[in-house]
């Protein structure tokens, strides 16, 4: 029901993705702010089919050498590659960083029991600056296998990047910096090395009062 | 853009790429 409508291949589907900061005020009170968020817990036919973007338009925004986006696309199967344009919500102003936690939660589901490897590459001017690789095992729940990377700590590079971005006085300045900032996520089956999902993220700052927004595209080669 | 990259605005991208969604 969801293929072509959201981020997912025949093998695996993204259920949730969020990057957030959370501060504990007292033992019972947490303030949570979402920088970006995708919730795909119940997609349906009713949602519009995804628009396409020619992957060649963004090759240079991501690593181009061995193992880069071009090579992944040429080796991978169609309908596995997606582009997300995020309008990140940076409208949070904190007085102090005490007790602050910066994290990323992502969740995938599949009909297959696998061990997955999730690589997240932060890129500046298309060059990888930091990579996190996480391995996740399946948990059988409600008739499908769930993979949940829960509250993975955000790397120092990203935390510093957010801090510096927030110090810029105008949104157009933030967008100018974000023009050269991207993230590439690749999910593979650890045991077979099959590429299951590849998501390229690009960013602007949200001007909405309703929090982070996004558009999802499928990446194709026309 | 530095390093010779073509600005995103000059690339062939859907119009929606530049339109922040309105919630609801």
């Amino acid at each position: 029901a969801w293929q072509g409508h959201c981020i997912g291949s025949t093998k695996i589907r993204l259920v949730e993705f969020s990057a957030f900061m959370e501060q504990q005020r007292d033992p019972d009170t947490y303030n949570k702010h979402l920088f970006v968020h995708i919730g795909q817990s119940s997609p349906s036919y009713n949602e519009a089919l995804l628009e396409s973007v020619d992957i060649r338009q963004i090759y240079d925004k991501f690593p181009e050498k061995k193992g880069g986006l071009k090579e992944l696309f040429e080796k991978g199967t169609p309908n596995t590659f997606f582009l997300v344009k995020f309008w990140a919500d940076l409208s949070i102003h904190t007085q102090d960083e005490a007790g602050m936690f910066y994290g990323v939660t992502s969740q995938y589901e599949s009909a297959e029991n696998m061990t997955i490897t999730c690589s997240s590459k932060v890129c500046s001017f298309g060059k990888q600056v930091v990579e996190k690789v996480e391995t996740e095992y399946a948990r059988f729940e409600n008739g499908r296998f769930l993979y949940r990377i829960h509250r993975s700590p955000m790397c120092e590079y990203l935390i510093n990047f957010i801090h510096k971005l927030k110090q810029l006085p105008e949104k157009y300045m933030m967008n100018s910096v974000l023009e050269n900032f991207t993230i590439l996520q690749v999910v593979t089956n650890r045991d077979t090395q099959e590429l299951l999902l590849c998501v390229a993220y690009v960013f602007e700052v949200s001007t909405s009062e309703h929090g982070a927004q996004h558009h999802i595209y499928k990446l194709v080669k026309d | 853009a530095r390093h010779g990259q073509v600005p995103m605005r000059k690339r062939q991208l859907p119009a929606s790429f530049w339109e922040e969604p309105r919630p609801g």
Side-chain angles (χ1 to χ4, degrees):
Chain A
W2 44 265
Q3 277 200 287
H5 299 261
C6 68
I7 298 172
S9 64
T10 52
K11 293 282 178 72
I12 202 164
R13 187 174 83 81
L14 179 73
V15 177
E16 183 201 350
F17 177 78
S18 60
F20 60 90
M21 59 183 262
E22 191 178 81
Q23 191 167 32
Q24 188 170 13
R25 291 284 178 200
D26 58 61
D28 298 322
T29 313
Y30 288 88
N31 287 342
K32 188 173 186 176
H33 173 84
L34 294 173
F35 295 115
V36 294
H37 174 72
I38 299 172
Q40 298 191 136
S41 55
S42 54
S44 71
Y45 285 119
N46 297 330
E47 289 179 44
L49 278 169
L50 299 179
E51 289 183 271
S52 298
V53 165
D54 189 320
I55 195 166
R56 288 169 290 192
Q57 296 293 324
I58 61 158
Y59 273 160
D60 64 335
K61 292 289 188 186
F62 298 92
E64 293 186 273
K65 292 178 182 165
K66 191 166 163 45
L69 187 56
K70 185 169 189 276
E71 188 181 305
L72 286 172
F73 192 77
E74 284 166 357
K75 282 185 179 172
T77 49
N79 306 318
T80 309
F81 291 80
F82 297 87
L83 170 67
V84 176
K85 166 73 179 280
F86 269 131
W87 283 266
D89 184 2
L90 294 179
S91 64
I92 181 149
H93 306 284
T94 47
Q95 298 298 319
D96 68 291
E97 289 282 314
M100 195 73 81
F101 175 74
Y102 290 78
V104 179
T105 287
S106 47
Q107 186 168 298
Y108 302 89
E109 70 173 23
S110 172
E112 292 184 33
N113 185 3
M114 303 176 281
T115 302
I116 62 168
T117 302
C118 301
S119 152
S120 303
K121 290 180 178 175
V122 176
C123 308
S124 175
F125 292 95
K127 304 282 189 292
Q128 176 188 321
V129 287
V130 62
E131 180 185 24
K132 179 188 269 189
V133 180
E134 292 162 300
T135 299
E136 197 61 31
Y137 300 91
R139 185 160 51 92
F140 192 69
E141 201 174 283
N142 295 327
R144 80 263 206 246
F145 293 95
L146 278 181
Y147 305 83
R148 187 154 204 230
I149 302 174
H150 186 55
R151 296 171 68 81
S152 174
M154 204 181 279
C155 66
E156 283 298 315
Y157 179 90
L158 272 183
I159 295 171
N160 290 335
F161 181 78
I162 291 168
H163 284 161
K164 286 179 181 164
L165 204 56
K166 277 159 55 64
Q167 285 168 7
L168 294 171
E170 302 287 346
K171 281 200 169 129
Y172 80 86
M173 296 175 185
M174 298 182 193
N175 287 338
S176 177
V177 172
L178 285 170
E179 164 107 9
N180 301 302
F181 171 84
T182 57
I183 294 178
L184 186 66
Q185 287 194 316
V186 179
V187 182
T188 48
N189 181 325
R190 188 195 64 176
D191 299 323
T192 65
Q193 288 299 301
E194 180 186 8
L195 190 150
L196 302 171
L197 205 58
C198 179
V199 189
Y201 295 95
V202 297
F203 300 83
E204 272 190 50
V205 178
S206 176
T207 54
S208 164
E209 293 173 356
H210 307 279
Q213 308 292 332
H214 66 272
H215 276 309
I216 303 169
Y217 304 91
K218 57 182 177 180
L219 286 168
V220 299
K221 209 170 189 177
D222 293 330
Chain B
R2 285 165 23 205
H3 301 318
Q5 281 198 341
V6 177
M8 289 298 271
R9 286 271 176 193
K10 294 195 174 174
R11 300 179 189 216
Q12 290 172 28
L13 297 164
S16 61
F17 193 86
W18 304 108
E19 296 162 3
E20 184 175 353
R22 297 266 164 232

